[in-house]
Amino acid sequence: MKEKINRLRKEKNAVILAHYYQTGEIQDIADCVGDSLALAQWAAQTTADIIALCGVHFMGETAKILCPDKKVLAPDLNAGCSLADSCPADRFADWASRYPGYTVISYVNTTAAVKAVTDVVVTSTNARQIVESFPKDTNILFGPDKNLGNYINSLTGRNMLLWDGACHVHEQFSLEKIIELKKRYPEAAIITHPECKQPVIQVSDFVGSTAALLKYTIQSGKKQFIVATESGVIHEMKKQSPDKEFIPAPPNDSTCACNECSFMRLNTLEKLYNCLLNETPEITVDASIREKAVRPVRRMLELSKQLGL
Ligand code: 13P
Ligand code: SF4
């Protein structure tokens, strides 16, 4: 399968971009593995004719918004996102219309139609800095992730109004089970994604985006980490720091030891091969929506560049 994928990507001038929450074998075959921001940055820069986006639907849409002339393929179109689903575009537009004069900041985990009614898009890597790039008295609507929004409000002293959305994976981490793990591994650092609920964030030694968590594990002098984000990222953490130990934080109400995003895990090597072979399923974005959605996405990329991210 790997040889066949390698042959196809060469023949078709295709690039394979994968999120850290993909299975290890997809991460290993990808040209680039990164978080949501890195995927958008690579998509914006690639000279490939085809982008095979191994992640979830909104990530493919973001690539298509940035590269309307390229073919953007997804191994499985059913790979959605509960957080994006928690924010229907019509309801979001209606909410925003009730606050004239407010700046609308949307997390990248949204549909293209939500991005079309947004002033600037953010990811977990740049959200804090982009919010802080606005004057302190700016009235801001932030959606859809209320946990990330609350976290940024607490860090910055802002009072952004928040959409009531969340990621079912990150909300599922159990504080009690994390505390139990900390008793078993007293030397371990608890590292957490800001999509998690506040009590989990409060007991954490470090909070950051997927890429920031990875960087922390590389740079930290600690040898053990309790990882409160989707467990796929542990694959790269182990590759980068083979001498360190990574303990996945478990979800609530489950006997499973780790927490996986069922949408992300829909993608397989075989589906990746088939999508490259057949050039389908393809991600499409309506031209009128794309025209509006590209502005806040480009604005995010420009701000990230200025901020050195
Ligand atoms: P980042 O890739 O920005 O860390 O976001 C995590 C996530 O949940 C992606 O779906
Ligand atoms: Fe969406 Fe959560 Fe899965 Fe990320 S981990 S794709 S936010 S459901």
Coordinates of all heavy atoms in Angstrom, one line a residue, residues 87-97 111 113-114 117 163:
C87 N -22.1 24.4 15.4 CA -22.2 25.8 15.0 C -22.8 25.9 13.6 O -22.1 26.2 12.6 CB -20.8 26.4 15.1 SG -20.8 28.2 14.8
P88 N -24.1 25.7 13.5 CA -24.7 25.8 12.1 C -24.6 27.2 11.6 O -24.8 28.2 12.4 CB -26.2 25.4 12.3 CG -26.3 24.8 13.7 CD -25.1 25.3 14.5
A89 N -24.3 27.4 10.3 CA -24.0 28.7 9.8 C -25.2 29.7 9.9 O -25.0 30.9 10.3 CB -23.6 28.6 8.3
D90 N -26.4 29.2 9.7 CA -27.5 30.2 9.8 C -27.7 30.7 11.2 O -28.0 31.9 11.4 CB -28.8 29.5 9.3 CG -29.2 28.2 9.9 OD1 -28.3 27.6 10.6 OD2 -30.3 27.7 9.8
R91 N -27.6 29.8 12.2 CA -27.7 30.3 13.6 C -26.6 31.2 14.0 O -26.7 32.1 14.7 CB -27.8 29.0 14.5 CG -29.2 28.4 14.5 CD -29.4 27.3 15.5 NE -28.7 27.5 16.8 CZ -28.1 26.6 17.5 NH1 -27.9 25.4 17.0 NH2 -27.5 27.0 18.6
F92 N -25.4 30.9 13.5 CA -24.2 31.7 13.9 C -24.4 33.1 13.3 O -24.1 34.1 13.9 CB -22.9 31.0 13.4 CG -21.7 31.7 13.8 CD1 -21.2 31.5 15.1 CD2 -21.0 32.5 13.0 CE1 -20.0 32.1 15.6 CE2 -19.8 33.1 13.5 CZ -19.3 32.9 14.7
A93 N -24.8 33.1 12.0 CA -25.0 34.4 11.3 C -26.1 35.2 12.0 O -26.0 36.5 12.2 CB -25.4 34.2 9.9
D94 N -27.1 34.6 12.5 CA -28.2 35.2 13.2 C -27.7 35.8 14.5 O -28.0 37.0 14.9 CB -29.3 34.2 13.5 CG -30.5 34.8 14.2 OD1 -31.0 35.8 13.7 OD2 -30.9 34.3 15.2
W95 N -26.9 35.0 15.2 CA -26.3 35.5 16.5 C -25.4 36.7 16.3 O -25.5 37.7 17.0 CB -25.4 34.3 17.1 CG -24.8 34.5 18.4 CD1 -25.3 34.9 19.6 CD2 -23.3 34.4 18.7 NE1 -24.4 34.9 20.6 CE2 -23.2 34.7 20.0 CE3 -22.2 34.1 17.9 CZ2 -21.9 34.6 20.6 CZ3 -21.0 34.1 18.5 CH2 -20.8 34.3 19.8
A96 N -24.6 36.6 15.2 CA -23.7 37.7 14.9 C -24.5 39.0 14.6 O -24.1 40.1 14.9 CB -22.7 37.4 13.8
S97 N -25.6 38.8 13.9 CA -26.4 40.0 13.4 C -27.0 40.7 14.6 O -27.4 41.9 14.5 CB -27.4 39.5 12.4 OG -28.4 38.8 13.1
T111 N -17.5 25.4 9.5 CA -17.7 25.2 8.1 C -17.3 26.5 7.3 O -17.2 27.5 7.9 CB -19.2 24.9 7.8 OG1 -19.9 26.1 8.3 CG2 -19.7 23.7 8.5
A113 N -19.1 28.1 5.5 CA -20.2 29.1 5.6 C -20.1 29.9 6.8 O -20.5 31.1 6.8 CB -21.6 28.4 5.5
V114 N -19.6 29.4 7.9 CA -19.4 30.1 9.1 C -18.2 31.1 8.9 O -18.3 32.3 9.3 CB -19.2 29.2 10.4 CG1 -18.7 30.0 11.6 CG2 -20.5 28.5 10.7
V117 N -19.0 34.5 7.4 CA -19.5 35.6 8.2 C -18.6 35.9 9.4 O -19.0 36.4 10.4 CB -21.0 35.3 8.7 CG1 -21.9 35.2 7.6 CG2 -21.0 33.9 9.5
W163 N -19.9 31.6 21.8 CA -20.9 30.6 21.2 C -20.8 29.4 22.1 O -19.7 29.0 22.6 CB -20.5 30.3 19.8 CG -21.4 29.3 19.1 CD1 -21.2 27.9 19.0 CD2 -22.6 29.6 18.5 NE1 -22.3 27.4 18.3 CE2 -23.1 28.4 18.0 CE3 -23.3 30.8 18.2 CZ2 -24.3 28.3 17.3 CZ3 -24.5 30.7 17.5 CH2 -25.0 29.5 17.1

